[in-house]
Amino acid sequence: LRASDIAQALFNVGSAAKEVGIDLQDFTGYVAAINAITRKSGAAIGQSLKTQLARIVKPESEKELNKYIEDIENDILLNFYMI
């Protein structure tokens, strides 16, 4: 994973991630984990995350958002261990 991959991902999804409360450290971790599994470019990862975050339309509560993020993290870990 290169810094340029993280920059490209951030460019594609930065404002959406900020809007739902994902901090830069967590975002970098998500990009790294997805890259390790898929070997997709930072731009592709960013676009995918942007699409996923767009599906979260003003969650009713922080608890709902945290559950969604926890599900994504679990999917990433599950896929990582299956490699």
Side-chain angles (χ1 to χ4, degrees), residues 43-55:
I45 293 169
Q47 189 60 44
S48 177
L49 287 173
K50 182 179 178 180
T51 301
Q52 293 298 317
L53 292 175
R55 293 182 179 160

Side-chain angles (χ1 to χ4, degrees), residues 38-67:
T38 66
R39 299 294 182 205
K40 299 278 186 180
S41 70
I45 293 169
Q47 189 60 44
S48 177
L49 287 173
K50 182 179 178 180
T51 301
Q52 293 298 317
L53 292 175
R55 293 182 179 160
I56 302 174
V57 181
K58 305 287 181 183
E60 295 298 318
S61 68
E62 185 175 336
K63 183 178 179 181
E64 181 181 338
L65 176 60
N66 287 337
K67 175 66 177 142

Side-chain angles (χ1 to χ4, degrees), residues 9-78:
L10 187 58
F11 178 78
N12 283 346
V13 74
S15 61
K18 182 178 178 183
E19 187 175 317
V20 297
I22 298 173
D23 67 24
L24 184 59
Q25 184 175 0
D26 287 341
F27 177 78
T28 302
Y30 298 148
V31 172
I34 294 168
N35 174 267
I37 294 167
T38 66
R39 299 294 182 205
K40 299 278 186 180
S41 70
I45 293 169
Q47 189 60 44
S48 177
L49 287 173
K50 182 179 178 180
T51 301
Q52 293 298 317
L53 292 175
R55 293 182 179 160
I56 302 174
V57 181
K58 305 287 181 183
E60 295 298 318
S61 68
E62 185 175 336
K63 183 178 179 181
E64 181 181 338
L65 176 60
N66 287 337
K67 175 66 177 142
Y68 181 77
I69 291 172
E70 183 179 310
D71 289 345
I72 292 172
E73 289 172 342
N74 290 336
D75 287 346
I76 289 170
L77 289 173
L78 178 64

